Amino acid sequence: MFMVYNKITEGIATAIRQIVGNEWFISNRADLGKYSHDETEDLRYYPEVVVKPKTADEVSALLKLCNQHLIPVTPRGAGTGLSGGALPVMGGLVIAMERFNQILNIDEENLQATIEPGVITEEFMNRVAAKGLLYPIDPASKGSCFIGGNIAYGSGGPRVVKYGTIREYVLNLEVVLPSGEIIWTGANTLKYASGYNLTQLFIGSEGTLGIITKAVVKLIPAPTTDALMLASFNSNEEACEAVSAIFRAGIIPSTLEFMERKAVQWVIDKDGIAFDMQPQDAAFLLIEVDGTNANVIFGDCEKINAVLETHGCTNVLFAESSAQKEELWRIRRTIGVSVKSNSVYKEEDTVVPRAALPQLIKGVKEIGSRYGFESVCYGHAGDGNLHINIVKANMSDDDWNTKLKDGIREIFELTVSLGGTLSGEHGIGFVQKDFMPIKYSPTHFELWRGIKQVFDKNYILNPSKIFNA
Amino acid sequence: MFMVYNKITEGIATAIRQIVGNEWFISNRADLGKYSHDETEDLRYYPEVVVKPKTADEVSALLKLCNQHLIPVTPRGAGTGLSGGALPVMGGLVIAMERFNQILNIDEENLQATIEPGVITEEFMNRVAAKGLLYPIDPASKGSCFIGGNIAYGSGGPRVVKYGTIREYVLNLEVVLPSGEIIWTGANTLKYASGYNLTQLFIGSEGTLGIITKAVVKLIPAPTTDALMLASFNSNEEACEAVSAIFRAGIIPSTLEFMERKAVQWVIDKDGIAFDMQPQDAAFLLIEVDGTNANVIFGDCEKINAVLETHGCTNVLFAESSAQKEELWRIRRTIGVSVKSNSVYKEEDTVVPRAALPQLIKGVKEIGSRYGFESVCYGHAGDGNLHINIVKANMSDDDWNTKLKDGIREIFELTVSLGGTLSGEHGIGFVQKDFMPIKYSPTHFELWRGIKQVFDKNYILNPSKIFNA
C-alpha cells in the first residue's frame, strides 16, 4: 500500500499552534535540528513542525487534526532510541513528550505508580528506591531515556534476567488513538484476563498504534544487599558457556552481562576508565546477585565461583565497595556510548536462546572477517541478548555503504537460524525493518498490517516503522 | 454484526472424517455429551461433531474446511474452564486437543520446554521438577487442566504473586489460524522487541484468534525449601489489610491466599477435611514463602509474623511437615470444587488493586444481603484476585434466574469502581461477556472486533466468546 501524506500548510500550522500554544510550537530549521535524529547512527530526518503538548487532550486534538489532514505524526520520547523509531522519516509533525514529566502517584499500599511517559527512567527509579521499592527496568540509557519510550520499544536492561521484562511491570496505559479518542488499555491490576490485552499490544508497538500519555506500573520491594563480580575468560565461548551453567546450578543472578575484550578495550582507550586487563583476557562476565540476606548472597557467590572455575574462568574480581561496583558498571554502561562517539557504527540487538550465544558470537566474527568490518560484542548474556556494534574500521566508504547491509543480513540470518530474532529490546524502528522478512512470513506482515489498520487506518502514526504500509 | 453459520452436512462430515480418521470423529449424542459442558455452572450446549486431531496439519485442514463452509469451531482443552469458553454455543465442530499431549523437549541448557497444548499442567510441573526446575503457573485445577487452556485464558494460580504471570513464561506459540495457515507467533527468546507481539496477543485470547498447537515456555531453577503458615483473623478486613502490609515489610511471599470462614467451613462440612476452626475465626491467610536457604525462609516467616501480630491476627499455624502442608493446601484447593459439587452456584473472578480487597469483600456481602444470595469468597489476595462463589442458598428459583444478574452486575460495578476488572485469570468466555460494557467503552469493543477480524474474518473460531460479533 502506498500512502500519500500532506504537508503542514499555514492553515494547519495555525490550528496546531492554537492547540499547544505558541511557546510549544517549533518550526524554524535550527530548532528542528534536535528533533531530526535520535541515537541511531548518524541518521537525520527533519520534521516540518515539532510540538510539546502537556495534556492528553492536547495530544488528542493534535491527532484528530493530523488524521483529518493526513499529516504524518512521529511521537518522540527522549530520543535515545537505537532503531530510528523517533526519526520523522516522512516529515510532518513530531509530538515531543518531554512535558509529560510528572510522577503522578506512588501508591505504597498497592505497590503501583502512575507516571507520565516523559519521566526519566532513573529519576523514577530513584524516587521509588527512596521508599524501599524497586522498578527494575533500567536500560543503559536510564539517566536520560523516558519510561514512555521504554514501554513503546519493549526496553529491557540488565535486570530482566531476574526480575522479568517490562511486560511484567506495565499494568495499564492511557493512550490517545489516532482518532483522538483517549482510552485506558486495561486495569490497574496484577492479573488480567478480560479480553484481548491491549496493554501488552501497546508495549513494543513503537508508537505506531497510539500515543501513551499515562502508565501504571508495578513496583516490588527492593533488595537490600548485592554483590558484584567480574569474571575473566580466555575465550568468548567459555564465557558464554558459563552463563548457562550458572542457571543450571540453581542461581538466578540479578544481572549476567557479557563483554568481549574489545568492548572493554574500547572503554579503556576512549574513555580513560582505569582497568587492569590481562593479555590473555578474551571476555568478561559481569555478574550481580542481589537479595535481602548477606549470607545468602555470599553463598550464591560461592556457588557461582565454583561454576566459573569449572568453565575456564581465569580470574574473579569481587567489587569490595560501592565505588568499585560503580566503576565496574561504568565500564559496561559506557561501551555503547564509547563506540558511538568514536567511530561510524551500526548497532544490532540480536537475541537468541542463551545457550546459542557462543555460536552467535563466533559467527558474527566470521562474517565480519569476510566483509572486513570489526564488531564489538557485549550485552545481556543471561537473556541471550547480544548487542553487536559494528564499527567501520578499515572498511572502505564504498563497502560500508553498499556491502555492509549483506553482512548484517548474514548476522540476522544466523540469529534466526539459532532460534532467535532481530531485536530483544531496541525495537525494529526504521533501520531494521528491511531485515524483518528474514524471520517473519508474509502472514506475519499481513497480521501486523491488519492490526495497524484497526488502530490507525490512515497510517498517520509513526509511518514507515517496523514494516511498510 | 449478525453471523450466519452453516450446519455440518453429511458431505462436510465425510471430509472431516477423512482429515482425522474415523476413530477420532464423534457425532453420536451420547458421546457428544462430555463435550457439551465445561466446569462453568450447569451450562450445556451440544456440538454437532467432536474431533480429536493429532497434528497441526490436521487442525489446519479442519479450519480451512470450516472456514470455507462457515462452520463454527470451538477449541477445547481439558474442559476445566470457569467462564464457558469451551462451550460450543453455536453448535458446529469442537476440536478437542487431548491428543496433543506430548512434552516435546525439556531444554536444560536454555531452561525452556516445548510442549503440546494438551499436556496436563501438573504432569508438566512434575516432569520439570524432577530436573530441579520450576514452571510456576499452577491453577487450582492443575491436576486436570491443560497448559494450552491456561495460555488461552491467561490462567494464574497462587504463585503469580512471586513468580509473575503466565505472560512471563510463554515465549513462543505455534498456532493454526482460521485460514489454515500455521505460524510461530514469535521466537524462543527471553526478550522480544521485534514487531507487534503476537505471542502476547494470543495469551488470553480464549481460542478466538487461532488454535495453539505448540508452546515454548520458560523454566526457572526451582526453590529448594519453603514454609507454609495459616493465619487466622477476626475479620475479613483485618486479613486483607495484612496482605498489603506484608509487601510493605519487604517480603514477597510465594503465595498469599485469602479464605473467608465460610469457604473453610464449606470444605470441612462437605469434604470432611479435618480442621479445628475457632468460633471467632472470620478469615484466613494461607502464606507460603520459598527460596533456597532455610535461614532466610525462617527470617521471612518471623517478619511476616510480626506484621500479622500488628494486623489483628489471632493465631498462626505453621505447617510442620509436608503432610500438614498438603492438608492446608487441600483446604484451599478444594473450596471451588466443594462449592460446585454441593450447590447451584455462579463463580466470579474479580480482580482489584490489592489494597481494595477489604472494600470489595464488604461490598459483595452487602450486595448479597440485598439480593438474598450467599457468597463464598477466597482467592489470590496477593494479586488482588478474589474468587466469589455465589450460592443459591435460600434464593427462590425465580430470583436466581432473573434478579441475580443485577446483583452480579453490582459486584462488577463495584469491582470496576475500585480500579479493577471482571476477570483476573478465568477469562470472559461466554458467561461474563454481557458484563464487559461495565468496564469497557464502545471504543474497546471496536478495537477488539477489529483485531478479531484481522485473524478470523468469518468469525468461525469460538464465536460468541468475550464479545459478540
Side-chain angles (χ1 to χ4, degrees), chain A residues 35 50-56 59 62 74-78 94-102 116-119 146 148-149 174 176 211-214:
Chain A
Y35 300 91
V50 172
V51 287
K52 302 180 183 179
K54 178 69 182 160
T55 67
V59 173
L62 290 167
T74 306
R76 181 184 176 93
V94 161
I95 298 186
M97 299 299 284
E98 55 207 67
R99 291 172 69 215
F100 283 79
N101 59 0
Q102 299 299 304
E116 290 188 323
V119 170
F146 291 171
E174 183 190 76
V176 184
I211 295 182
I212 298 165
T213 47
K214 283 194 192 78

Side-chain angles (χ1 to χ4, degrees), chain B residues 244-275:
Chain B
S244 287
I246 289 168
F247 290 93
R248 289 204 308 281
I251 312 273
I252 307 180
S254 48
T255 74
L256 187 28
E257 299 284 301
F258 169 86
M259 302 179 281
E260 69 165 330
R261 178 186 182 89
K262 201 181 287 173
V264 178
Q265 190 67 57
W266 206 284
V267 171
I268 295 171
D269 291 351
K270 309 287 173 178
D271 288 84
I273 292 181
F275 177 70

Side-chain angles (χ1 to χ4, degrees), chain B residues 19-191:
Chain B
I19 293 167
V20 293
N22 280 330
E23 194 183 348
W24 310 110
F25 177 100
I26 298 168
S27 65
N28 72 77
R29 182 89 182 166
D31 294 338
L32 291 177
K34 177 184 163 193
Y35 299 91
S36 68
H37 63 89
D38 56 12
E39 294 291 329
T40 310
E41 304 161 27
D42 50 357
L43 299 174
R44 280 185 175 266
Y45 291 85
Y46 275 75
E48 296 156 59
V49 168
V50 173
V51 287
K52 302 181 184 179
K54 178 69 182 161
T55 68
D57 284 339
E58 289 177 12
V59 173
S60 168
L62 290 166
L63 287 184
K64 260 186 214 160
L65 183 75
C66 291
N67 213 350
Q68 186 190 341
H69 295 285
L70 299 182
I71 307 293
V73 175
T74 305
R76 181 184 175 93
T80 55
L82 298 167
S83 57
L87 297 173
V89 294
M90 298 291 184
L93 182 71
V94 162
I95 298 187
M97 299 300 285
E98 54 207 67
R99 290 173 70 217
F100 282 80
N101 58 359
Q102 299 300 303
I103 297 169
L104 300 172
N105 171 253
I106 296 175
D107 173 354
E108 293 182 74
E109 288 285 317
N110 287 303
L111 301 193
Q112 297 180 0
T114 306
I115 50 181
E116 290 189 323
V119 169
I120 290 174
T121 305
E122 192 170 34
E123 284 181 10
F124 177 62
M125 296 179 75
N126 291 343
R127 278 281 295 280
V128 302
K131 294 175 187 291
L133 300 173
L134 176 66
Y135 172 75
I137 307 301
D138 55 344
S141 57
K142 65 180 180 179
S144 53
C145 64
F146 290 172
I147 293 193
N150 298 166
I151 297 170
Y153 285 79
S155 301
R159 292 201 270 195
V160 165
V161 66
K162 174 170 178 178
Y163 291 103
T165 64
I166 195 166
R167 297 190 172 276
E168 197 61 28
Y169 292 89
V170 178
L171 302 180
N172 201 1
L173 295 170
E174 183 189 75
V175 297
V176 184
L177 303 176
S179 62
E181 282 176 278
I182 304 171
I183 63 166
W184 280 95
T185 52
N188 300 355
T189 55
L190 295 168
K191 281 177 173 171

Side-chain angles (χ1 to χ4, degrees), chain A residues 37-244:
Chain A
H37 64 89
D38 57 11
E39 294 290 328
T40 310
E41 304 161 25
D42 50 356
L43 298 174
R44 282 187 173 265
Y45 291 84
Y46 275 74
E48 296 157 59
V49 168
V50 172
V51 287
K52 302 180 183 179
K54 178 69 182 160
T55 67
D57 284 339
E58 288 177 12
V59 173
S60 167
L62 290 167
L63 287 184
K64 259 186 216 160
L65 183 75
C66 291
N67 213 349
Q68 187 189 340
H69 295 285
L70 299 181
I71 307 293
V73 175
T74 306
R76 181 184 176 93
T80 55
L82 299 167
S83 57
L87 297 174
V89 293
M90 298 291 185
L93 182 71
V94 161
I95 298 186
M97 299 299 284
E98 55 207 67
R99 291 172 69 215
F100 283 79
N101 59 0
Q102 299 299 304
I103 297 170
L104 300 171
N105 172 252
I106 297 176
D107 173 354
E108 292 182 75
E109 288 285 316
N110 287 303
L111 301 193
Q112 296 180 1
T114 306
I115 51 181
E116 290 188 323
V119 170
I120 290 174
T121 306
E122 191 169 37
E123 284 181 12
F124 177 61
M125 295 179 76
N126 291 342
R127 278 283 295 279
V128 304
K131 293 174 187 295
L133 299 173
L134 176 66
Y135 173 76
I137 307 300
D138 54 345
S141 57
K142 66 180 179 179
S144 54
C145 65
F146 291 171
I147 293 193
N150 298 165
I151 297 169
Y153 285 79
S155 302
R159 293 201 269 194
V160 165
V161 66
K162 174 169 177 177
Y163 290 103
T165 64
I166 195 166
R167 297 189 172 277
E168 198 60 27
Y169 292 88
V170 177
L171 303 179
N172 200 1
L173 295 170
E174 183 190 76
V175 296
V176 184
L177 302 175
S179 63
E181 281 176 280
I182 304 171
I183 63 166
W184 280 95
T185 52
N188 300 354
T189 56
L190 296 169
K191 281 177 174 170
Y192 187 87
S194 303
Y196 303 152
N197 197 309
L198 300 182
T199 310
Q200 292 294 331
L201 186 57
F202 268 88
I203 299 171
S205 68
E206 307 196 4
T208 65
L209 301 180
I211 295 182
I212 298 165
T213 47
K214 283 194 192 78
V216 177
V217 300
K218 168 175 135 175
L219 307 171
I220 55 176
T224 50
T225 179
D226 59 48
L228 185 67
M229 59 184 104
L230 185 75
S232 314
F233 295 83
N234 288 345
S235 73
N236 288 337
E237 286 71 19
E238 285 169 304
C240 290
E241 279 158 16
V243 169
S244 286

Side-chain angles (χ1 to χ4, degrees), chain A residues 258-259 263-264 266-267 330-340 376-378 389:
Chain A
F258 169 85
M259 301 180 283
V264 178
W266 205 284
V267 171
R330 199 152 74 90
I331 295 176
R332 166 61 187 88
R333 289 219 181 87
T334 310
I335 300 169
V337 178
S338 177
V339 172
K340 279 169 200 119
V376 180
C377 293
Y378 63 102
N389 273 196

